[in-house]
Amino acid sequence: MTPFLMRRRAVLAGLLALSLAQLRAAPRPHEAALPFALTSAERARTLKARVTPAVAEQVLKAARKDAARPVHLMAQVRTGGLLKGEGGREHSQQAQEDWRQARLQALAWRLSGDMAHFESARRLVLAWSSGYQPSFSPVDETELASLLTGFDLLQERLNGVEREQVQAFCRTLAHGYLSDPIKVGGPSTARNNWHSHRIKIGTAAAYLTGEALLIARAKERFLAHVPRNIGAGGVPFDFEQRDALHYTTYSLEPLLATALMAQAHGDDWYGAPPARRLAEALAWLAPYAQGKKTHEEFAKSAVPFDRKRVAAGEKGFTGNWEPKGAANVYLLAARFDPAYLPLALELRPPAWALALYGA
């Protein structure tokens, strides 16, 4: 063989080796980074190592009770504005529990490796994402964000068709909940807790689509809403409207959950200047959560339905507010300001929240 042919063969062999190396290094489609709402695949893989055995056992104990839970799929889920026994409220509450169970069962699978929990969560996520048409009523559907959080923890083990099905559902949710004008609710719901829940659901769905325009729209909605929802001195509009710390926490929790989603993606919505009143609201609420101040709930509420609930004797709508109602608020807040962690732990958040937000 001539020297020329030997050099040519060596060059070709080198190019072939380089091409093969590049093919091996390139991520396969199923190995590529997956869009997520709150928990990346990498973080999900390390969850077991970061959650204390005591908290993990509490999660597993709760999850075992419902690992064989059937799906409670409904055409319409409605609990808002209904008293006990009205309008099929209890059936809708079972549907909402499906959404929370998807998160709980997925957490249990990550903490134990028990495939019974994986299959339970998978069944719930796939049934609801394929068979439900959202109403876009945020007080009825706020726990859909829990369903999407459960999907985060599972999706690495789902096939492409299953992931695409959930992403299509998320696209519908994101467009509906981040729409302008709002789809469901009166004018005041553009300022109160309803809009906080719209933004939470819409943001989780937007991040799961991976579409930059939807994510940008979610950020715009969040930054515009915080100063409308929280007044000077950190007093929330929900407190002024309902005279209740119950609705104060019900508005702050979804806002903090939304900001935590952004933080998980490297974006600081909590610290952005338009959102500064979120920190002010936490400081305003803290004396009540610490038990230094008390508040008689709903005494001067401007909403007629609150008076109906008081007359019906529903728990939590009379008497002083219970500080434990702020447990998740301050657990989420501690992810932005660690000084709130002792207060959060004193209020004893549920195990699932400690596993998801505290680890």
Side-chain angles (χ1 to χ4, degrees):
M1 184 180 294
T2 66
F4 171 76
L5 289 174
M6 291 176 64
R7 285 196 301 272
R8 186 169 181 269
R9 179 173 289 183
V11 170
L12 290 172
L15 289 172
L16 178 60
L18 179 60
S19 297
L20 289 171
Q22 288 172 334
L23 284 171
R24 284 193 293 268
R28 297 170 185 171
H30 69 279
E31 294 173 343
L34 299 169
F36 62 94
L38 178 65
T39 311
S40 67
E42 181 181 1
R43 185 173 174 83
R45 289 183 210 120
T46 63
L47 193 69
K48 185 176 181 179
R50 290 184 286 105
V51 174
T52 66
V55 169
E57 182 50 39
Q58 289 180 61
V59 171
L60 292 171
K61 183 178 179 180
R64 289 185 197 112
K65 295 176 183 177
D66 279 302
R69 179 184 182 84
V71 177
H72 298 78
L73 187 63
M74 299 176 66
Q76 182 185 45
V77 173
R78 186 188 169 203
T79 55
L82 298 176
L83 295 174
K84 185 177 180 179
E86 292 181 345
R89 180 187 180 201
E90 286 71 23
H91 293 298
S92 288
Q93 287 174 324
Q94 284 294 326
Q96 292 166 337
E97 181 61 18
D98 275 9
W99 304 340
R100 287 186 287 267
Q101 281 292 325
R103 177 186 61 203
L104 179 65
Q105 296 298 329
L107 272 170
W109 169 62
R110 283 293 183 178
L111 294 174
S112 69
D114 187 339
M115 290 302 292
H117 296 301
F118 174 88
E119 290 300 337
S120 179
R122 177 180 175 274
R123 181 171 63 251
L124 292 165
V125 167
L126 294 181
W128 280 98
S129 62
S130 66
Y132 182 62
Q133 180 58 48
S135 69
F136 302 109
S137 173
V139 296
D140 296 324
E141 295 182 339
T142 185
E143 293 294 352
L144 281 174
S146 301
L147 184 85
L148 301 186
T149 301
F151 172 66
D152 271 356
L153 297 165
L154 300 177
Q155 65 165 320
E156 189 179 24
R157 291 286 293 272
L158 300 179
N159 64 46
V161 172
E162 292 168 334
R163 286 198 297 268
E164 286 168 12
Q165 173 186 300
V166 179
Q167 284 187 325
F169 182 61
C170 288
R171 209 164 285 114
T172 298
L173 288 174
H175 281 288
Y177 275 109
L178 301 174
S179 67
D180 188 15
I182 57 179
K183 288 185 175 294
V184 177
S188 72
T189 71
R191 283 190 65 191
N192 68 12
N193 68 87
W194 283 50
H195 210 53
S196 300
H197 290 277
R198 286 187 191 103
I199 292 167
K200 178 188 73 172
I201 302 165
T203 300
Y207 273 124
L208 274 168
T209 67
E211 295 180 17
L213 288 176
L214 286 174
I215 294 166
R217 187 184 302 172
K219 182 175 183 178
E220 177 188 343
R221 299 290 189 271
F222 176 86
L223 296 179
H225 177 57
V226 171
R228 287 200 301 259
N229 180 248
I230 302 170
V235 182
F237 174 66
D238 289 272
F239 182 76
E240 296 176 350
Q241 186 182 40
R242 310 299 284 269
D243 189 30
L245 294 175
H246 169 89
Y247 276 103
T248 297
T249 59
Y250 194 57
S251 192
L252 294 179
E253 187 173 336
L255 289 175
L256 289 164
T258 301
L260 188 58
M261 293 177 212
Q263 185 190 71
H265 291 83
D267 201 355
D268 184 13
W269 295 8
Y270 177 87
R276 70 184 186 280
R277 286 184 180 174
L278 191 48
E280 293 173 9
L282 291 168
W284 175 85
L285 179 63
Y288 296 99
Q290 292 160 343
K292 296 175 182 178
K293 289 185 177 182
T294 60
H295 179 72
E296 184 181 355
E297 291 287 84
F298 298 98
K300 300 175 183 177
S301 174
V303 177
F305 182 58
D306 291 340
R307 291 191 287 275
K308 283 182 64 178
R309 289 193 285 199
V310 170
E314 289 207 6
K315 186 178 178 181
F317 293 90
T318 56
N320 286 342
W321 177 72
E322 291 285 345
K324 64 183 180 182
N328 283 359
V329 167
Y330 284 102
L331 184 61
L332 284 160
R335 294 292 297 273
F336 304 100
D337 184 348
Y340 283 124
L341 185 57
L343 174 58
L345 297 178
E346 182 182 329
L347 296 172
R348 301 183 69 179
W352 71 262
L354 288 168
L356 191 62
Y357 305 138

